[in-house]
């Protein structure tokens, strides 16, 4: 097989926080090490010091640079200017591949890539939803609009990448069966992430790590923590680690319930530092695609208790006792209590590290994504490759 030539790859996404940012950072590092030229275009108005440090980590791999421009979360007339500025930047970088992540990133990458094609410049246009617009319901007018826009944008798309089977099935149900090339490529974490992180001597019983917004369920975590204390008949301790628009409201909720001294709050930090603070990680999300925090927790040897949403059952196992009913703080409290009181619960319930590593590794993810890039950029060469026997 002919060796793939170095590609010029641009990733477009809105907010440099959470799972999308983690996903892109892993692809950047893996593909740069493989000899390709990589760049990022994302929003300049979100993220803080923590995200700046993460950008510093990958800056050496960004040979096409880091471009940050204001990109609003909601649709607005200002998007026209963003599209034009993005198009000019992309045109100057002359990429082979434009990969959009999340709803806004998908729009920017696909429309800019299509504009380049009008000018007879060949570029592969890919889109990964990462949940995003697929969380909308067809029952609402806004949901119908967003999902119809997803269908329309297939005309400007060369390939869709789904990060879990749940996302692929949700797309087929809400948007329609894809009419373009599509692949299931699971999120993955790096080899360095598969290493047990021991808990500190002053560890708390539970941690929540993630964005502080209702979609991720911090309010459910607070509710379930109080109910777990009542089930066990003793006070417990916990930490909520992260940033977000609802931080003050969650703090008030804890104070009103007399939990202010037993649940602490810390700003976003590297997950390795967060994981040293507890053995039990709680992921009470109301909706997800394939959250990295679950993979990172398992890789670190933590006990992961999570909502049965998105692709989480594909990681923990469809019948895992660690899965709880979404939005049900009573069920969450029941499992949290079991994790503390049932001897050997972690070993009985958690999937083995080897099983997780065989499917959800960054090297596997990056290799499959790069193979897809190559097929789109040079379809003739891909067709010439003999099928595996």
């Amino acid at each position: 097989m002919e060796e793939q030539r170095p590609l010029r790859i641009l990733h477009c996404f809105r907010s440099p926080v959470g799972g999308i940012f983690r996903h892109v950072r892993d692809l950047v590092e893996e593909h740069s090490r493989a000899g390709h030229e990589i760049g990022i275009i994302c929003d300049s108005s979100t993220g803080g010091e923590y995200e700046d440090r993460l950008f510093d980590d990958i800056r050496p791999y960004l040979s096409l640079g880091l471009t940050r421009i204001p990109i609003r979360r909601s649709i607005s007339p200002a998007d026209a200017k963003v599209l034009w500025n993005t198009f000019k930047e992309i045109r100057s970088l002359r990429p082979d591949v434009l990969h959009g992540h999340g709803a806004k990133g998908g729009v920017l990458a696909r429309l800019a890539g299509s504009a380049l094609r009008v000018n007879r410049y060949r570029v592969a246009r890919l889109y990964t939803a990462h949940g995003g617009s697929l969380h909308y319901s067809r029952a609402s007018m806004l949901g119908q609009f967003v999902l119809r826009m997803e269908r329309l944008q297939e005309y400007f798309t060369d390939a869709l990448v789904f990060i879990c089977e749940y996302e692929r099935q949700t797309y087929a149900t809400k948007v329609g069966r894809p009419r373009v090339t599509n692949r299931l490529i699971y999120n993955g974490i790096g080899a360095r992430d598969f290493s047990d992180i021991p808990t500190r001597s002053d560890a708390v019983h539970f941690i929540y790590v993630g964005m502080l917004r209702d979609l991720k369920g911090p309010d459910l975590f607070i509710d379930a923590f109080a109910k777990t204390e009542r089930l066990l008949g003793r006070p417990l301790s916990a930490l909520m680690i992260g940033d977000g628009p609802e931080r003050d409201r969650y703090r008030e909720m804890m104070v009103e319930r007399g939990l202010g001294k037993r649940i602490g709050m810390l700003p976003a930090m590297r997950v390795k530092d967060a994981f040293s603070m507890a053995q039990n990680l709680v992921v009470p999300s109301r909706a997800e695609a394939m959250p990295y925090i679950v993979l990172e927790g398992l890789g670190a040897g933590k006990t992961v208790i999570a909502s049965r949403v998105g692709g989480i059952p594909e990681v923990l196992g469809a019948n895992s006792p660690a899965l709880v009913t979404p939005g049900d703080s009573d069920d969450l409290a029941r499992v949290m209590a079991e994790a503390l009181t049932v001897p050997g619960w972690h070993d009985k319930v958690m999937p083995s590290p080897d099983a997780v590593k065989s499917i959800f590794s960054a090297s596997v993810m990056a290799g499959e994504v790069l193979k897809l890039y190559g097929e789109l950029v040079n379809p003739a060469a891909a067709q010439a490759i003999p099928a595996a026997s």
Side-chain angles (χ1 to χ4, degrees), residues 135-145 147 174:
H135 292 321
Y136 284 89
S137 169
R138 292 176 64 91
S140 70
M141 291 293 291
L142 177 60
Q144 286 188 32
F145 171 77
L147 296 168
K174 292 186 175 183

Short mmCIF file of all heavy atoms in Angstrom, two decimals, residues 135-145 147 174:
data_model
loop_
_atom_site.label_atom_id
_atom_site.label_comp_id
_atom_site.label_asym_id
_atom_site.label_seq_id
_atom_site.Cartn_x
_atom_site.Cartn_y
_atom_site.Cartn_z
N HIS A 135 -29.17 16.61 20.59
CA HIS A 135 -29.91 16.64 21.86
C HIS A 135 -31.29 17.29 21.69
O HIS A 135 -32.14 17.17 22.57
CB HIS A 135 -29.13 17.42 22.92
CG HIS A 135 -27.87 16.73 23.37
ND1 HIS A 135 -27.78 15.37 23.54
CD2 HIS A 135 -26.64 17.23 23.67
CE1 HIS A 135 -26.56 15.05 23.94
NE2 HIS A 135 -25.85 16.16 24.01
N TYR A 136 -31.50 17.99 20.58
CA TYR A 136 -32.79 18.66 20.37
C TYR A 136 -33.89 17.65 20.07
O TYR A 136 -33.63 16.58 19.51
CB TYR A 136 -32.69 19.66 19.21
CG TYR A 136 -31.98 20.94 19.55
CD1 TYR A 136 -30.61 21.07 19.40
CD2 TYR A 136 -32.69 22.05 20.02
CE1 TYR A 136 -29.95 22.24 19.71
CE2 TYR A 136 -32.04 23.22 20.34
CZ TYR A 136 -30.67 23.32 20.18
OH TYR A 136 -30.03 24.49 20.50
N SER A 137 -35.11 18.03 20.42
CA SER A 137 -36.27 17.17 20.18
C SER A 137 -37.02 17.62 18.94
O SER A 137 -37.17 18.83 18.69
CB SER A 137 -37.23 17.23 21.39
OG SER A 137 -38.47 16.61 21.08
N ARG A 138 -37.50 16.66 18.18
CA ARG A 138 -38.31 16.98 17.00
C ARG A 138 -39.67 17.56 17.39
O ARG A 138 -40.39 18.09 16.54
CB ARG A 138 -38.51 15.73 16.15
CG ARG A 138 -37.24 15.21 15.48
CD ARG A 138 -37.50 13.90 14.75
NE ARG A 138 -38.43 14.08 13.66
CZ ARG A 138 -38.08 14.38 12.41
NH1 ARG A 138 -36.80 14.52 12.10
NH2 ARG A 138 -38.98 14.51 11.47
N ALA A 139 -40.02 17.47 18.67
CA ALA A 139 -41.32 17.95 19.13
C ALA A 139 -41.39 19.48 19.21
O ALA A 139 -42.47 20.05 19.26
CB ALA A 139 -41.65 17.36 20.49
N SER A 140 -40.24 20.14 19.24
CA SER A 140 -40.23 21.61 19.34
C SER A 140 -39.94 22.22 17.99
O SER A 140 -39.30 21.62 17.13
CB SER A 140 -39.18 22.06 20.35
OG SER A 140 -37.86 21.84 19.85
N MET A 141 -40.39 23.48 17.80
CA MET A 141 -40.14 24.18 16.55
C MET A 141 -38.64 24.40 16.34
O MET A 141 -38.13 24.23 15.24
CB MET A 141 -40.88 25.53 16.56
CG MET A 141 -42.38 25.41 16.49
SD MET A 141 -42.94 24.75 14.89
CE MET A 141 -42.54 26.12 13.81
N LEU A 142 -37.95 24.79 17.44
CA LEU A 142 -36.51 25.00 17.33
C LEU A 142 -35.80 23.70 16.97
O LEU A 142 -34.91 23.68 16.14
CB LEU A 142 -35.97 25.56 18.65
CG LEU A 142 -34.44 25.77 18.71
CD1 LEU A 142 -34.00 26.74 17.62
CD2 LEU A 142 -34.02 26.25 20.09
N GLY A 143 -36.23 22.60 17.63
CA GLY A 143 -35.63 21.31 17.34
C GLY A 143 -35.82 20.90 15.89
O GLY A 143 -34.89 20.40 15.24
N GLN A 144 -37.02 21.11 15.36
CA GLN A 144 -37.28 20.78 13.96
C GLN A 144 -36.38 21.58 13.04
O GLN A 144 -35.83 21.05 12.06
CB GLN A 144 -38.75 21.05 13.62
CG GLN A 144 -39.71 20.03 14.20
CD GLN A 144 -41.12 20.24 13.69
OE1 GLN A 144 -41.32 20.68 12.56
NE2 GLN A 144 -42.11 19.93 14.51
N PHE A 145 -36.20 22.87 13.35
CA PHE A 145 -35.35 23.71 12.52
C PHE A 145 -33.90 23.22 12.54
O PHE A 145 -33.27 23.06 11.49
CB PHE A 145 -35.42 25.17 13.01
CG PHE A 145 -34.40 26.07 12.36
CD1 PHE A 145 -34.60 26.53 11.07
CD2 PHE A 145 -33.24 26.45 13.04
CE1 PHE A 145 -33.66 27.36 10.45
CE2 PHE A 145 -32.30 27.27 12.44
CZ PHE A 145 -32.50 27.72 11.14
N LEU A 147 -32.65 20.27 13.37
CA LEU A 147 -32.47 18.95 12.78
C LEU A 147 -32.63 18.98 11.25
O LEU A 147 -31.95 18.25 10.53
CB LEU A 147 -33.43 17.96 13.41
CG LEU A 147 -33.18 17.73 14.92
CD1 LEU A 147 -34.34 16.98 15.55
CD2 LEU A 147 -31.87 16.97 15.14
N LYS A 174 -33.51 11.05 14.29
CA LYS A 174 -33.93 12.46 14.32
C LYS A 174 -33.67 13.21 13.02
O LYS A 174 -34.45 14.08 12.64
CB LYS A 174 -33.22 13.18 15.46
CG LYS A 174 -33.65 12.72 16.85
CD LYS A 174 -33.00 13.58 17.94
CE LYS A 174 -33.51 13.21 19.32
NZ LYS A 174 -32.94 14.09 20.38
#
